[in-house]
Amino acid sequence: MHKLLLTDDDVELAGMLKEYLQQEGFDVTVAHDGVTAEQYVLAGHFDLMILDVMMPVQDGIQTLRNIRANSSIPVIMLTAKGDNNDKITGLELGADDYVPKPCTPRELVARVRAILRRIQSNTSRVYVITVGDLKVWSAQRRAEWQGHVLELTSTEFNLLEILARHAGAVVSKEELSLQALGRPLAKFDRSIDVHLSSIRQKIAQYSDNPNVIQTVYRMGYQLLKE
C-alpha cells in the first residue's frame, strides 16, 4: 500500500480527500501546516506528498523549498485555479506536478497514480542508458553526468530518461507529458518547459555544453548525441 502525506490547512477538505484516497487503497497521513509536514517527511517514509500552496504560518512554497533541501519525495502541489505564478514557482522548486483547486478527488487520484506508476515501471528496467557523458540507471532511478550524480526530482528523472532512450530524436511535448506526467498536455501548460529548464541547470554544473537538451521549435525536445 502506497503511503501518502496530504498537507492542507482546510480541515474539511483534507478529511474528504483523505477518505476518498483511502477508499482508493492509499495509506494517508494528514498534516494541517507546513512545519508539521516537514517533520513528517523527515521522520517517516512516504511515497508521495500532496501539498497545498495557500497555508498560514508557512505556505506550501516555503515548505517545498525546505523539503527539497533534504528529500526527493514526489510532490503534487494544490494551487489556486488560474494562479500561474504559484504553479511555475512550485515546479521550479522541484514539484513534480500540480492540480488546480477546486479539484475533484478523482482527478487528484489519477495524478497520484500516474506518478507512482511511472516510478514503478522504471524499477523493472535493469539496463543502463549511456548517451555521451550521461548515464541513466532506470531501475535505481539514478542519473550521472561525467560521474557526478544529478539530484533530480521524480518528474525530472522521468523526462531525462525518456529523452535518453530517444537520444538524437525529437520527442514532442505531448508525448513527454503523457509518458512523464501520465496526462495529456493541457493548453498553455508550461510544466514540461520548467522541468527541462531545471534539468539543464543541473547538467550545466558539470558540463561545458548545458544546451545538450535542445528545444526544437514547434516540435519538442531533443537530447543530443555527442
Side-chain angles (χ1 to χ4, degrees):
M1 182 180 292
H2 287 109
K3 296 181 64 176
L4 309 181
L5 176 59
L6 171 62
T7 305
D8 197 314
D9 67 308
D10 186 329
V11 176
E12 183 177 352
L13 176 61
M16 182 267 290
L17 290 176
K18 177 181 179 179
E19 182 178 355
Y20 191 91
L21 288 163
Q22 287 177 328
Q23 290 174 355
E24 292 296 315
F26 297 103
D27 180 1
V28 184
T29 299
V30 175
H32 294 299
D33 64 84
V35 174
T36 301
E38 282 185 48
Q39 295 171 348
Y40 281 166
V41 168
L42 296 178
H45 173 73
F46 293 93
D47 298 295
L48 184 143
M49 180 181 190
I50 301 165
L51 178 62
D52 186 31
V53 170
M54 298 298 294
M55 293 186 294
V57 183
Q58 180 172 290
D59 64 19
I61 296 297
Q62 184 60 50
T63 300
L64 177 61
R65 182 180 287 110
N66 295 348
I67 286 173
R68 276 292 172 258
N70 300 287
S71 173
S72 59
I73 181 175
V75 175
I76 296 177
M77 301 291 289
L78 299 178
T79 64
K81 190 171 184 178
D83 194 335
N84 290 324
N85 289 333
D86 280 344
K87 294 174 185 176
I88 293 173
T89 300
L91 293 172
E92 289 175 339
L93 289 173
D96 293 273
D97 202 358
Y98 63 85
V99 177
K101 293 174 70 177
C103 66
T104 65
R106 183 177 179 182
E107 178 185 8
L108 182 59
V109 167
R111 298 288 184 91
V112 169
R113 282 186 170 150
I115 290 177
L116 295 176
R117 184 167 55 247
R118 180 64 191 179
I119 293 172
Q120 182 143 11
S121 70
N122 274 340
T123 61
S124 64
R125 303 176 186 273
V126 297
Y127 57 84
V128 179
I129 305 171
T130 302
V131 182
D133 293 322
L134 174 68
K135 288 184 181 294
V136 177
W137 290 265
S138 296
Q140 293 83 7
R141 296 186 65 79
R142 176 184 177 92
E144 293 183 357
W145 188 275
Q146 294 182 349
H148 299 280
V149 176
L150 298 175
E151 299 294 339
L152 304 172
T153 66
S154 174
T155 296
E156 288 170 359
F157 179 87
N158 294 344
L159 288 167
L160 186 58
E161 195 242 3
I162 293 165
L163 290 173
R165 284 194 283 111
H166 297 86
V170 178
V171 184
S172 69
K173 288 176 63 175
E174 289 79 7
E175 189 62 29
L176 287 170
S177 184
L178 284 170
Q179 291 194 40
L181 298 178
R183 59 179 172 84
L185 184 69
K187 192 175 183 179
F188 306 121
D189 189 345
R190 291 189 55 203
S191 300
I192 299 298
D193 307 306
V194 176
H195 286 307
L196 288 172
S197 175
S198 177
I199 296 171
R200 285 185 179 123
Q201 292 175 24
K202 292 174 181 181
I203 290 176
Q205 299 177 71
Y206 312 113
S207 174
D208 295 330
N209 181 20
N211 295 318
V212 66
I213 298 176
Q214 291 199 335
T215 304
V216 182
Y217 184 60
R218 291 187 175 179
M219 293 183 66
Y221 290 92
Q222 177 184 27
L223 178 66
L224 297 181
K225 283 186 174 180
E226 297 183 344

